[in-house]
Amino acid sequence: MKNVIYGALLALQFLTRLPIPIACPWTPETRRWAIRAYPLVGLLIGALLAGSALLLEQLTTPAPITALVLLSLWVAISGGLHLDGVMDLADALGSNQPLERRWEIMKDPQTGSFAMLALLFLLAWKGVLLWALLHYSAPLWWLLVLPSFGRWAGVALLILTPCAHPRGLAWSWQQSLGRRDVLFALVPLLLLALIFPAVGVWLVAVALWVALARWVLLRLFNGINGDMVGATIEGGELWLLILMWSWWQFVTALPPGT
C-alpha cells in the first residue's frame, strides 16, 4: 500500500506543479504505480479545469475569456512539461535532416523556429477549440476526462514502443513496466465509461491516436524518447478536442448556447 501512495505522489510531482513536499523513493515499484496513476492525475487536472469553468460560468464570464483562463490554467498546472516535447520534436521534424542529426537537434537546448511555430499553433488551436465547446455549452464532463485520456495515451506509447536508445528518463521508466500496466492505467477511464458511455467512444479514438503516433515515430526515429511521450500527450489532447468539437458541431446539430 505504501508503494501505491508513493507512486501516486510521484505522478503528481512529475506531472503537475502542485506543491507536494514529500520525498518519495524512486524504486521499480513506485515507478510502476506512478505510471498507473497518470490518468488519475489527468482526472485531477480535469476536475480543476471543469470546476474553474463552472465558476466562470456562474460569473457570466464571456466564452473567449473563459477559454483563455482555462488554457492558462491548463499550462500552469502542468508547468508546460509536455509542451517542451512538442517543441523539440517539431524542431527535429522540421529540419529534414538524416536520423542521427534529428536526434542531435532534439537534444539541443536551443529553441528553433519550428519549435516556436508548433507551440504557437498548438496553444492557438487548443484555445479556439475550448472557446467553441464553451460557446456550444457542451457538458463539462468532456473537460474532466480529456487530460486523463491524454496521459493514458502517453502511458500506452511509453510501454508499447521501444526506446531508440538505452538511456534517458523514458528508458529508465520502461525498465519497471509491462504491458499489463497499460490496462491498470485504463481502469479509472473504464469506470467513468459506466457513468458517461461516450467515454468508451473517445477511448477508441485515443487508441487510434496512439497507434498512429507509434507507427510514425518508429518509422521516422526507430524508437521513442521522453520528449515524444510528452508530444503524444499534447497531441492526444488536441486530437480529442477536434473530435469533440466536430461532434457538437456536425452531429448534434444544436444551435450555439443550447
Side-chain angles (χ1 to χ4, degrees):
M1 189 62 183
K2 188 179 293 186
N3 286 328
V4 176
I5 295 173
Y6 277 136
L9 292 175
L10 272 175
L12 276 170
Q13 290 173 335
F14 187 71
L15 294 176
T16 74
R17 299 293 294 172
L18 300 176
I20 311 289
I22 299 174
C24 299
W26 181 257
T27 67
E29 280 298 316
T30 58
R31 288 198 296 271
R32 186 175 300 119
W33 281 106
I35 286 293
R36 293 172 179 177
Y38 267 37
L40 285 175
V41 175
L43 284 175
L44 174 61
I45 295 172
L48 292 173
L49 293 175
S52 300
L54 188 60
L55 175 61
L56 291 168
E57 182 183 358
Q58 297 301 313
L59 297 173
T60 62
T61 308
I65 302 299
T66 299
L68 183 57
V69 170
L70 292 178
L71 182 61
S72 302
L73 184 61
W74 204 336
V75 173
I77 292 173
S78 67
L81 173 65
H82 311 305
L83 294 174
D84 179 68
V86 173
M87 296 169 73
D88 286 342
L89 184 59
D91 269 342
L93 291 175
S95 68
N96 288 323
Q97 294 294 314
L99 179 59
E100 288 305 315
R101 178 59 184 149
R102 290 201 298 271
W103 279 111
E104 291 174 6
I105 291 171
M106 288 196 73
K107 294 183 216 174
D108 191 336
Q110 295 184 349
T111 300
S113 57
F114 289 107
M116 296 305 300
L117 287 171
L119 178 65
L120 173 65
F121 280 105
L122 175 67
L123 293 179
W125 272 105
K126 271 191 165 184
V128 169
L129 289 166
L130 281 170
W131 180 1
L133 287 165
L134 291 166
H135 184 58
Y136 272 83
S137 297
L140 288 178
W141 65 261
W142 63 269
L143 194 53
L144 171 68
V145 301
L146 200 151
S148 185
F149 275 126
R151 277 138 195 85
W152 181 80
V155 169
L157 183 81
L158 175 64
I159 294 174
L160 300 177
T161 314
C163 282
H165 305 105
R167 58 182 181 271
L169 186 59
W171 182 81
S172 69
W173 280 101
Q174 282 187 343
Q175 306 317 298
S176 309
L177 303 173
R179 290 178 179 267
R180 66 174 185 171
D181 294 310
V182 177
L183 298 177
F184 270 106
L186 193 57
V187 169
L189 293 171
L190 292 177
L191 294 176
L192 277 175
L194 299 176
I195 305 172
F196 306 111
V199 168
V201 178
W202 303 128
L203 182 57
V204 174
V206 175
L208 291 174
W209 164 252
V210 173
L212 175 62
R214 184 181 188 276
W215 179 79
V216 170
L217 293 172
L218 284 175
R219 184 177 178 84
L220 295 179
F221 292 93
N222 295 332
I224 63 168
N225 67 355
D227 282 334
M228 295 174 188
V229 174
T232 299
I233 291 174
E234 288 289 343
E237 290 177 344
L238 180 59
W239 164 243
L240 281 180
L241 278 171
I242 293 171
L243 291 181
M244 289 174 176
W245 169 78
S246 300
W247 173 265
W248 273 287
Q249 174 73 16
F250 301 113
V251 179
T252 62
L254 293 176
T258 63

